[in-house]
Amino acid sequence: MYPALLLALTRDSINAVVTLNAAMVHHSGSIQSFKQQKGMHTSISEILKEKSLKPSRRSLPCLAQSQTHPINLNHFLSVPLSPEPKAEVEGLSQSISTSCSLLPPQTVEDGKDHYVEESEATTCETRADESFLLRKPTITRAKLEARTDSIQGKNRAGSSGLFFRDGKKRIDYILVYKKSSPQVEKRCTFEKNLRAEGLMLEKEPSLTNNDIMFVKINAPWDTLCKYAEQMNIRMPFRKKCYFTDWKSKTLGSRFHLRCRQIKSWLPRNPMQLDKEALPDLEETDCYTAPFSRARMHHFTINNRETFFSNSTRSRIVHHVLQRTKYEDGKSKMGINRLLGNNTYEAAFPPHEGGYKSRHPIKTHGAQNHRHLLYERWARWGIWYKYQPLDLIRRYFGEKIGLYFAWLGWYTGMLIPAALVGVFVFLYGLFTMDSSQVSKEICEANTTIMCPMCEDTCEPWTLSDSCVYAKVTHLFDNGGTVFFAIFMAIWATVFLEFWKRRRAELTYDWDLIDWEEEEEELRPQFEAKYSRMERVNPISGKPEPFQPFSDKLSRLMVSVSGIFFMISLVLTAVFAVVVFRLIAMEKFASFNWYFVKKNWQFATSGTGVCINFMIIMSLNVVYEKVAYLLTNLEHPRTESEWENSFALKMFLFQFVNLNSSTFYIAFFLGRFAGRPGKYNKLFNRWRLEECHPSGCLIDLCLQMGVIMFFKQIWNNFMELGFPLLQNWWSRRKMKKGGGGGQNVENKAQLPQWDKDWNLQPMNAHGLVDEYLEMVLQFGFTTIFVAAFPLAPLLALLNNIIEIRLDAYKFVTQWRRPMPARATDIGIWHGILEGIGVLAVITNAFVIAITSDYIPRFVYAFKYGPCVDKGHHHEDECLRGYMNSSLSVFDMSKQKNSSYPFYCRYRDYRAPPWSSVPYEFTLQFWHVLAARLAFIIVFEHLVFGIKSFIAYLIPDMPKDLCDRMRREKYLMQEMMYEAELEHLQKERKKNGRRYHHEWP
């Protein structure tokens, strides 16, 4: 049943292994009877004794390694290990210990496939490698086609650039270097050491650039086994039997059965993907254990070529590349250092082929996983479909899979928030004309307002701002408080349910027991502190050490740089404030009547646009400064570097993006003064005032413009810029700009040439992707009381963002190294911090920026409904505008030609009172109500958030029970399989023991 395993067994051990495999199959087949009859077993021996059912697709052992590719691609991505039965019999003389030996087997065929390895090894010091490659004649298209035709008879995969020239050895990694590079000795030593580690190398010149050489790397079976054991890679060995299967016999199962029947009658969910087009990734239905060569007989090995997936093979090769020396010395190792000193130009795993096909996927199936991802994930036509997360994880690794899982979860959670926001906006829209405040403003034809500037401005009537007041009511209405509370609770629910979703993904992706391995030190850290060493408490080996005094001094310099950049942001905000003051005077005295009438919109609009341009300009500077400060700190590992860089980028861009918004929300119009005693900036410009209907419309305009234009700019930079770069690369290829051939058809190039002409993934990894979404999350929650449509804009953007990122990863970028991760890292803590800040900010926005509290105080303390019981809100607000406007005697002002009274927004005594222009009692009532609202709102919302977080466990109970049950069953399986194996061995040797511990 397992030809790959039988090749490594001795003649004496055939019977034992066959018996063990039969027991494994019998166990897998008896799972159904285990579910139906017994309900739950306390011992695996009981399961093994049951009668086996008829084999079915779900009862067979785990076939993940043979079912991970589309059916019509078996000839493309899978090569049978031993096509001839005779080879199996001849290979029985080998033993298990030699099947995963440390040294790779050297055959005649392997020797033919190697690209002048012997000549390179003997002439590295004299640069014979470069001279030989330069003397090698360039491969013409005719020779390439002839070679393709010859290989196609054996295996079609050879023509696509996924295999060595023999069409059998799979390419697991690609190294790229220039022939003109002077680092020949390092490269030769590095490649020689790679061969010593068991990797197979083959070189191939580029067809588009004569100076480029590709090094194709293959990891043989023995090497994969060796490093899979060292890296503790978990591999499948037995079919799962679920703990929850016993519930099928409970009384509640009838209700669930009825629900499933009713659900089957309903129309199919249009968002679900067609599972028939997706590969059967059954590895999630198998028990896994750290791979061990000594216990290889425990694992289900149907095909050596597909037992380790492509991403796992690439990860193993990357592990070897990171730990192979290129010079003698403790720190002279790793592909990262060779990329840093330009020994190699690039290192990446190859894509699995093209992402497009001439034939439709429905009739001919997918060519490879990349094609399948494009058709079922990256295409714009399926924007409403769920993401194939298992396939994304298998192709790009768990770290990228978790990013897209988080992005999809965030986008899905935005749907209820967007709906509630739209309802709040529609409520304001339908009540806009019936609002009592708007009516009073629009009917105030005789209310004269004080001039907005000193010399050139004239008094104006309150009714001139009728449109402004109605637009303000769209966002400042009775639903504002409810929506702010809802979004604060929504943020908590989103994070808590994401924890549960992450737990399910880590379980399905077999990351529960995975612990991040000890990372290697960064080359810059080793170079800086190579003279100071101490013993690593984890590995027990001496390594470079950074003294605390040096670390503290560098951290202080970095913090000083952060504060300097924040002060630069505040300076830019101050410059925008000065511009608004100047623009306010100019627009208020403009000759064009339309601009003069709507000077508030003109001032806010131009100020927001200029602020947006400053934000996008400073973002470029921030990235360079954050990169410089992070390198100045000399982080020990790459993860520490990434976390430090991500935190700096978030602080810089968050302050840059929200500083002007905080100014408008909490400072605009608060320190303007009053007529006759205005506060002036530099004794020249009068500070800006709020509109009589409030400052909330300015905050709304600020958020809407920045959010809309920033999303457009980010989408262009994510997709448009790589498209332009790749178009330029294709243009150079067609013209033969690299000195190579004039290739007109890109399909004629091998896969390594195609991947080389793609753009590399961002050097910061997923930092930029997470940063964009986290900043959007802050914009959506922090000032959501002022802009209820923010969740809707975020939802529309994220629907596009998912497909943009998918298209970029699949078509425009080289395949990144598949990395593992169990969470989104530092970003989860940042999201929780934003959730806390959102509660505080929304409380202040409602209390200070909005007119909700002044209207509330007037309705219950000074309005016509006082002591008259409950009435309609509009009736209670009758006379509110007159109450919120104070009176100023313009005849007492110097150089004034207006002998009448004007009105301004404030709570001050009239000029004929005993204490003119002093704050009235209503002002102190409003102030006290605002402070009380902030305290009550914060405590109420924080209490609800904490209670919800307590109610929602981080891991579902069913998942906890299933994990504990499966852990128990796995231990029983491993124990009894090993026990039976040892008993067979003793019986075979003629030694019989009864009731004895093995």
Side-chain angles (χ1 to χ4, degrees):
M1 181 175 179
Y2 300 101
L5 183 60
L6 291 176
L7 285 176
L9 298 175
T10 61
R11 296 180 183 273
D12 296 335
S13 61
I14 293 178
N15 296 330
V17 176
V18 170
T19 305
L20 177 60
N21 290 339
M24 295 170 65
V25 175
H26 180 76
H27 165 71
S28 300
S30 62
I31 292 178
Q32 299 298 328
S33 60
F34 160 76
K35 296 178 180 179
Q36 298 175 3
Q37 299 175 7
K38 299 297 181 182
M40 184 191 304
H41 288 287
T42 58
S43 175
I44 297 301
S45 60
E46 301 178 17
I47 301 177
L48 295 176
K49 293 178 181 178
E50 292 184 5
K51 184 178 180 180
S52 176
L53 298 177
K54 182 179 180 180
S56 63
R57 175 183 171 275
R58 300 296 295 178
S59 65
L60 289 176
C62 180
L63 303 180
Q65 55 274 22
S66 62
Q67 297 289 336
T68 56
H69 303 295
I71 298 176
N72 62 332
L73 290 182
N74 289 335
H75 68 279
F76 185 88
L77 296 175
S78 175
V79 181
L81 179 67
S82 53
E84 299 181 3
K86 295 181 180 180
E88 300 181 8
V89 180
E90 295 175 358
L92 296 178
S93 58
Q94 300 179 2
S95 63
I96 297 179
S97 61
T98 59
S99 65
C100 285
S101 59
L102 301 180
L103 296 178
Q106 298 291 335
T107 62
V108 178
E109 186 178 5
D110 294 339
K112 294 179 181 179
D113 291 335
H114 286 193
Y115 189 80
V116 295
E117 296 179 8
E118 293 80 3
S119 61
E120 290 180 7
T122 55
T123 57
C124 280
E125 297 180 359
T126 60
R127 299 191 57 161
D129 179 27
E130 296 295 316
S131 61
F132 177 81
L133 295 177
L134 292 175
R135 288 196 301 266
K136 192 179 186 302
T138 305
I139 300 177
T140 62
R141 185 182 306 171
K143 292 184 178 180
L144 179 62
E145 293 177 355
R147 177 187 299 174
T148 302
D149 295 337
S150 63
I151 295 178
Q152 189 174 7
K154 299 180 179 179
N155 195 323
R156 295 182 181 180
S159 62
S160 63
L162 299 179
F163 287 75
F164 277 25
R165 286 192 294 270
D166 62 356
K168 297 180 180 179
K169 300 181 184 66
R170 186 188 304 274
I171 299 176
D172 299 318
Y173 225 86
I174 297 290
L175 302 180
V176 185
Y177 69 88
K178 289 184 177 180
K179 300 176 185 178
S180 57
S181 173
Q183 308 288 348
V184 181
E185 185 175 353
K186 294 180 181 179
R187 186 168 58 250
C188 289
T189 305
F190 183 70
E191 293 175 4
K192 181 181 66 176
N193 292 335
L194 288 180
R195 294 188 183 94
E197 292 291 336
L199 299 181
M200 294 186 178
L201 276 62
E202 185 178 74
K203 295 189 178 181
E204 197 82 32
S206 173
L207 298 182
T208 60
N209 194 329
N210 289 333
D211 194 32
I212 294 296
M213 182 66 70
F214 298 100
V215 180
K216 300 175 288 185
I217 301 178
N218 167 263
W221 171 255
D222 299 337
T223 306
L224 291 173
C225 293
K226 169 187 172 183
Y227 283 100
E229 184 176 13
Q230 291 183 8
M231 298 169 64
N232 291 323
I233 296 179
R234 302 180 67 89
M235 301 303 296
F237 70 91
R238 192 70 61 85
K239 189 78 173 177
K240 283 183 179 180
C241 47
Y242 292 102
F243 168 72
T244 55
D245 292 334
W246 67 273
K247 294 183 179 180
S248 60
K249 288 190 174 298
T250 60
L251 295 177
S253 62
R254 297 180 181 178
F255 173 75
H256 294 292
L257 180 60
R258 296 296 183 186
C259 291
R260 286 195 296 267
Q261 290 178 352
I262 296 175
K263 188 176 180 180
S264 63
W265 297 338
L266 297 176
R268 181 177 175 271
N269 188 352
M271 294 186 293
Q272 290 182 351
L273 287 168
D274 185 9
K275 295 184 178 181
E276 295 179 357
L278 296 176
D280 191 9
L281 301 177
E282 290 191 23
E283 62 179 4
T284 57
D285 293 334
C286 296
Y287 293 111
T288 61
F291 185 80
S292 172
R293 290 178 289 180
R295 296 185 175 182
M296 188 181 296
H297 53 276
H298 288 170
F299 298 92
T300 310
I301 305 177
N302 297 291
N303 192 334
R304 289 187 179 183
E305 295 295 327
T306 55
F307 179 67
F308 295 103
S309 64
N310 289 345
S311 59
T312 304
R313 296 171 68 99
S314 299
R315 190 154 56 93
I316 291 175
V317 174
H318 182 78
H319 177 87
V320 178
L321 293 175
Q322 292 284 59
R323 288 157 178 78
T324 301
K325 292 186 177 182
Y326 59 88
E327 284 185 7
D328 293 334
K330 295 181 180 179
S331 62
K332 304 296 185 180
M333 66 172 62
I335 186 63
N336 288 341
R337 296 174 180 82
L338 294 176
L339 292 173
N341 58 25
N342 296 325
T343 302
Y344 289 99
E345 298 296 318
F348 52 87
H351 279 294
E352 293 184 0
Y355 63 89
K356 286 186 178 181
S357 174
R358 299 178 181 177
H359 307 289
I361 191 173
K362 291 184 178 180
T363 57
H364 292 73
Q367 290 184 339
N368 48 67
H369 281 165
R370 189 188 184 194
H371 180 213
L372 190 60
L373 282 172
Y374 176 77
E375 292 290 338
R376 291 293 182 265
W377 181 45
R379 241 180 354 101
W380 294 104
I382 56 171
W383 60 270
Y384 58 93
K385 295 285 188 181
Y386 293 140
Q387 301 182 88
L389 293 179
D390 290 334
L391 190 60
I392 297 171
R393 167 246 178 174
R394 189 167 183 84
Y395 194 83
F396 292 109
E398 286 80 1
K399 190 173 184 179
I400 295 177
L402 274 175
Y403 163 71
F404 282 103
W406 176 84
L407 180 57
W409 184 257
Y410 171 46
T411 304
M413 290 292 292
L414 279 174
I415 295 177
L419 291 177
V420 176
V422 170
F423 288 149
V424 173
F425 175 79
L426 292 178
Y427 170 78
L429 181 65
F430 292 147
T431 60
M432 181 173 57
D433 295 331
S434 61
S435 171
Q436 181 63 30
V437 178
S438 300
K439 285 181 180 180
E440 292 185 1
I441 292 177
C442 295
E443 295 173 357
N445 298 322
T446 59
T447 303
I448 306 299
M449 303 298 296
C450 296
M452 299 302 298
C453 54
E454 296 292 337
D455 301 324
T456 59
C457 299
E458 298 179 356
W460 52 287
T461 58
L462 183 59
S463 60
D464 293 340
S465 61
C466 178
V467 177
Y468 199 92
K470 289 183 176 181
V471 174
T472 301
H473 183 74
L474 291 175
F475 306 100
D476 190 3
N477 51 64
T480 301
V481 178
F482 163 75
F483 191 55
I485 296 176
F486 171 81
M487 288 302 297
I489 298 174
W490 173 87
T492 301
V493 172
F494 160 67
L495 292 176
E496 293 300 321
F497 275 98
W498 163 247
K499 294 178 183 178
R500 294 168 63 89
R501 175 61 175 161
R502 183 198 67 85
E504 294 175 356
L505 288 175
T506 52
Y507 168 77
D508 291 338
W509 293 352
D510 201 22
L511 297 172
I512 295 293
D513 297 328
W514 179 78
E515 295 182 1
E516 191 169 352
E517 60 184 15
E518 181 70 10
E519 292 187 82
E520 67 171 5
L521 302 180
R522 298 184 70 242
Q524 297 83 350
F525 182 86
E526 288 187 336
K528 180 68 177 178
Y529 303 102
S530 58
R531 297 182 179 179
M532 294 173 284
E533 290 186 347
R534 75 170 184 179
V535 177
N536 188 320
I538 299 176
S539 63
K541 299 179 181 179
E543 66 177 17
F545 167 69
Q546 183 182 16
F548 177 76
S549 58
D550 182 79
K551 184 176 183 178
L552 181 62
S553 60
R554 292 180 179 276
L555 185 61
M556 293 300 296
V557 173
S558 179
V559 172
S560 302
I562 294 175
F563 279 107
F564 172 77
M565 295 305 300
I566 292 177
S567 64
L568 183 62
V569 174
L570 300 180
T571 304
V573 172
F574 180 77
V576 174
V577 171
V578 174
F579 169 80
R580 289 173 64 99
L581 298 180
I582 300 174
M584 179 185 66
E585 292 187 0
K586 298 299 181 182
F587 289 135
S589 60
F590 210 71
N591 294 329
W592 190 5
Y593 177 75
F594 178 77
V595 177
K596 185 177 181 179
K597 182 179 180 180
N598 300 281
W599 60 268
Q600 297 100 333
F601 280 111
T603 302
S604 300
T606 53
V608 169
C609 292
I610 292 178
N611 185 50
F612 174 74
M613 291 187 291
I614 293 176
I615 287 174
M616 301 311 296
S617 302
L618 290 180
N619 279 345
V620 180
V621 180
Y622 292 157
E623 184 173 352
K624 298 183 182 299
V625 173
Y627 193 84
L628 178 65
L629 292 178
T630 307
N631 287 334
L632 182 65
E633 294 177 6
H634 286 295
R636 180 176 172 272
T637 61
E638 289 294 336
S639 62
E640 292 180 3
W641 188 96
E642 184 175 334
N643 289 338
S644 178
F645 178 77
L647 184 60
K648 290 181 180 61
M649 286 294 295
F650 170 75
L651 290 176
F652 289 160
Q653 294 207 19
F654 181 81
V655 174
N656 185 31
L657 193 65
N658 294 282
S659 54
S660 58
T661 311
F662 272 92
Y663 163 75
I664 293 176
F666 306 127
F667 298 98
L668 179 62
R670 311 296 167 194
F671 309 100
R674 62 173 179 84
K677 195 178 180 181
Y678 281 115
N679 297 323
K680 295 184 178 181
L681 184 64
F682 303 132
N683 293 324
R684 170 66 179 84
W685 296 290
R686 205 175 86 185
L687 295 180
E688 193 174 357
E689 297 181 67
C690 286
H691 188 268
S693 59
C695 290
L696 202 66
I697 187 62
D698 296 313
L699 179 60
C700 175
L701 184 63
Q702 173 86 7
M703 292 184 60
V705 171
I706 291 181
M707 194 170 185
F708 178 76
F709 284 106
K710 190 174 187 301
Q711 289 177 352
I712 293 179
W713 175 259
N714 288 338
N715 291 336
F716 169 76
M717 292 302 295
E718 285 190 9
L719 182 63
F721 192 64
L723 281 174
L724 291 176
Q725 289 180 314
N726 290 332
W727 170 80
W728 184 254
S729 299
R730 291 194 300 269
R731 186 172 178 270
K732 288 173 60 177
M733 275 196 311
K734 291 181 179 180
K735 293 186 175 182
Q741 304 174 34
N742 187 357
V743 181
E744 299 179 358
N745 188 3
K746 187 181 178 181
Q748 298 174 352
L749 293 176
Q751 190 61 44
W752 51 80
D753 250 322
K754 296 177 184 178
D755 290 351
W756 165 246
N757 289 296
L758 295 177
Q759 298 301 314
M761 186 179 175
N762 197 315
H764 309 144
L766 294 172
V767 171
D768 291 342
E769 311 295 333
Y770 276 115
L771 179 63
E772 179 185 354
M773 291 295 102
V774 169
L775 291 175
Q776 183 203 85
F777 178 81
F779 235 66
T780 306
T781 55
I782 291 179
F783 292 103
V784 74
F787 191 49
L789 294 180
L792 177 62
L793 291 180
L795 174 63
L796 297 177
N797 174 79
N798 288 4
I799 292 175
I800 301 174
E801 180 74 20
I802 291 176
R803 305 305 160 181
L804 277 180
D805 287 346
Y807 185 84
K808 178 176 58 180
F809 271 91
V810 174
T811 67
Q812 303 300 313
W813 279 1
R814 298 172 192 161
R815 187 177 182 180
M817 204 285 293
R820 307 201 84 186
T822 58
D823 203 351
I824 60 176
I826 194 175
W827 299 108
H828 190 274
I830 293 176
L831 290 173
E832 290 183 337
I834 291 177
V836 174
L837 181 62
V839 177
I840 301 173
T841 306
N842 282 301
F844 277 86
V845 167
I846 297 173
I848 296 177
T849 311
S850 171
D851 270 2
Y852 177 79
I853 299 300
R855 292 197 298 263
F856 181 84
V857 172
Y858 176 81
F860 290 93
K861 183 66 178 176
Y862 299 95
C865 296
V866 178
D867 299 331
K868 293 183 180 180
H870 179 72
H871 291 275
H872 193 269
E873 180 182 1
D874 292 337
E875 296 180 3
C876 297
L877 289 177
R878 191 171 301 165
Y880 168 74
M881 284 308 302
N882 184 60
S883 174
S884 63
L885 297 177
S886 300
V887 182
F888 176 71
D889 188 1
M890 294 190 65
S891 61
K892 301 295 180 66
Q893 193 174 6
K894 294 181 180 180
N895 301 326
S896 175
S897 59
Y898 302 102
F900 52 80
Y901 295 105
C902 66
R903 309 296 295 272
Y904 63 96
R905 180 184 172 84
D906 209 341
Y907 296 99
R908 293 181 182 270
W912 54 81
S913 68
S914 58
V915 282
Y917 305 119
E918 292 293 329
F919 290 116
T920 63
L921 184 62
Q922 187 176 356
F923 169 82
W924 299 109
H925 284 164
V926 171
L927 180 61
R930 283 174 169 169
L931 296 177
F933 175 83
I934 292 174
I935 295 175
V936 172
F937 182 89
E938 289 182 356
H939 284 73
L940 175 64
V941 176
F942 278 131
I944 295 175
K945 286 168 62 72
S946 302
F947 182 68
I948 291 177
Y950 172 77
L951 288 181
I952 303 175
D954 294 345
M955 186 176 294
K957 185 178 183 303
D958 290 344
L959 182 60
C960 293
D961 295 339
R962 185 183 302 176
M963 290 170 52
R964 294 174 61 185
R965 173 65 176 169
E966 291 183 0
K967 185 176 181 180
Y968 167 76
L969 290 178
M970 185 175 63
Q971 293 175 349
E972 289 285 316
M973 288 179 187
M974 296 292 289
Y975 165 74
E976 295 195 8
E978 190 67 23
L979 175 63
E980 184 176 357
H981 177 70
L982 292 177
Q983 288 177 346
K984 295 292 182 181
E985 288 291 329
R986 292 182 176 181
K987 183 178 180 180
K988 176 189 63 178
N989 296 331
R991 301 167 60 188
R992 302 180 61 88
Y993 296 93
H994 301 283
H995 307 290
E996 181 181 348
W997 186 263

